[in-house]
Amino acid sequence: MQFDRVDPDQCPICTDERQYVGRGGQRWTTVAEVSASHRTVVREEYPGLWGIGTEPTFAIGQRALLVPGDGGNLLWDSITTIDDAAIARVTELGGVSAVALSHPHYYSAMVEWSEAFGDVPIYVHESDRAWLPRAGNIRTWSGDSLEILPGRTLINTRVHFAGGSVLHWPGTDGRGALCTGDIVQVVSDRRWVSFMYSYPNLIPEHPDTIRRTVALLENVAFERIVGAWWDRVVEEDAHGAVVRSARRYLEHIGVTPGF
């Protein structure tokens, strides 16, 4: 997460129970320092869907997605780095018409990415308003879902954070895809997904929240799930994977799935 001014005593994301402060204490860096040793890369995740990441890997190593469609590209989630070469490449691919975030852990350089493409709107669920660290063209939204560009709809599952959301779009082939960050986490066995309140501290998600997610996605058509890291993609029967995974999760914590 980026701040306009640094408070050396604490970062609220780090001190939240979902995260942690390292044994060496709170550490800070700047965009300039990171850019001096890292570069932003843009490459296809699969045909028609472009990922934007950082090399060498930085922080948790996630990558963003450039999600195409009528009305322009949507930048889904964000990364810490942004440089002239990446801006030029994204511009060649049609630029960015809006930015949307799954949850606060990916806010990072969202304001820089917005400003680089004409101060385009940044969509954050209102339940996560308290986590916003900086001013920008931020538009909070409410409710269970919102179509922000034609064919691209945010769905608030409440997994991981109260505003935790996923993005549904038709996909490049019409099969339907769900871009999930780590709200619906694509795991190492890519036939399955999972759900967590905290990943580093291994705090499970609440059963009611998982049931809510299954219910919200019941009538949403998607064959793929695209997670937060390169190659973390459920390639087929992704809707079935969510239901099976939720059922398995609930059974393993001793709760009746109820679906």
Side-chain angles (χ1 to χ4, degrees), residues 3 6 19 24 27 42-43 47 62 68 70 76 96 122 124 141-142 149 152 177 181 185 189 206 208 212 215:
F3 298 86
V6 172
Q19 278 294 327
R27 298 172 59 191
V42 182
R43 67 171 186 261
Q62 90 280 5
D70 293 342
W76 171 245
V96 173
I122 302 167
V124 171
W141 61 283
S142 60
L149 286 171
R152 280 146 296 176
Q185 173 79 297
D189 182 346
H206 195 282
D208 289 346
R212 169 189 169 86

Side-chain angles (χ1 to χ4, degrees), residues 16-209:
D16 176 61
E17 67 179 353
R18 279 162 285 216
Q19 278 294 327
Y20 63 97
V21 175
R23 293 180 65 183
Q26 185 77 66
R27 298 172 59 191
W28 300 92
T29 187
T30 66
V31 173
E33 288 174 346
V34 175
S35 297
S37 56
H38 295 74
R39 68 188 183 101
T40 306
V41 297
V42 182
R43 67 171 186 261
E44 278 190 307
E45 181 64 73
Y46 61 79
L49 181 67
W50 292 82
I52 305 172
T54 303
E55 290 184 351
T57 189
F58 180 76
I60 63 173
Q62 90 280 5
R63 54 99 180 90
L65 293 169
L66 195 65
V67 184
D70 293 342
N73 294 318
L74 171 68
L75 181 66
W76 171 245
D77 281 332
S78 183
I79 57 172
T80 300
T81 57
I82 181 171
D83 52 43
D84 291 343
I87 293 170
R89 182 63 181 127
V90 171
T91 299
E92 290 176 357
L93 294 170
V96 173
S97 295
V99 179
L101 287 303
S102 61
H103 69 291
H105 289 162
Y106 298 156
Y107 287 174
S108 57
M110 63 182 185
V111 173
E112 282 84 357
W113 279 96
S114 165
E115 292 177 346
F117 291 93
D119 201 28
V120 299
I122 302 167
Y123 290 88
V124 171
H125 196 276
E126 67 173 5
S127 296
D128 287 341
R129 185 195 302 269
W131 296 101
L132 290 169
R134 306 175 58 192
N137 187 13
I138 296 168
R139 301 184 186 180
T140 57
W141 61 283
S142 60
D144 292 341
S145 66
L146 176 71
E147 184 179 53
I148 55 174
L149 286 171
R152 280 146 296 176
T153 300
L154 299 172
I155 303 171
N156 174 222
T157 68
R158 304 185 71 84
V159 170
H160 201 29
F161 277 79
S165 301
V166 298
L167 173 73
H168 179 257
W169 68 300
T172 56
D173 53 10
R175 297 169 57 209
L178 207 64
C179 303
T180 62
D182 54 7
I183 301 299
V184 177
Q185 173 79 297
V186 180
V187 295
S188 297
D189 182 346
R190 288 174 289 176
R191 299 171 299 172
W192 299 85
V193 298
S194 196
F195 322 84
M196 292 289 280
Y197 178 75
S198 167
Y199 290 96
N201 298 323
L202 300 179
I203 306 173
E205 190 48 86
H206 195 282
D208 289 346
T209 305

Side-chain angles (χ1 to χ4, degrees), residues 216-255:
L216 284 172
L217 298 178
E218 182 177 5
N219 296 315
V220 178
F222 57 96
E223 283 293 313
R224 277 193 179 101
I225 294 176
V226 188
W229 284 266
W230 296 110
D231 303 319
R232 286 294 182 102
V233 180
V234 178
E235 293 284 358
E236 58 184 16
D237 191 28
H239 195 287
V242 170
V243 176
R244 290 192 301 272
S245 299
R247 184 177 294 121
R248 180 176 74 171
Y249 182 110
L250 294 171
E251 288 173 347
H252 272 275
I253 62 172
V255 175

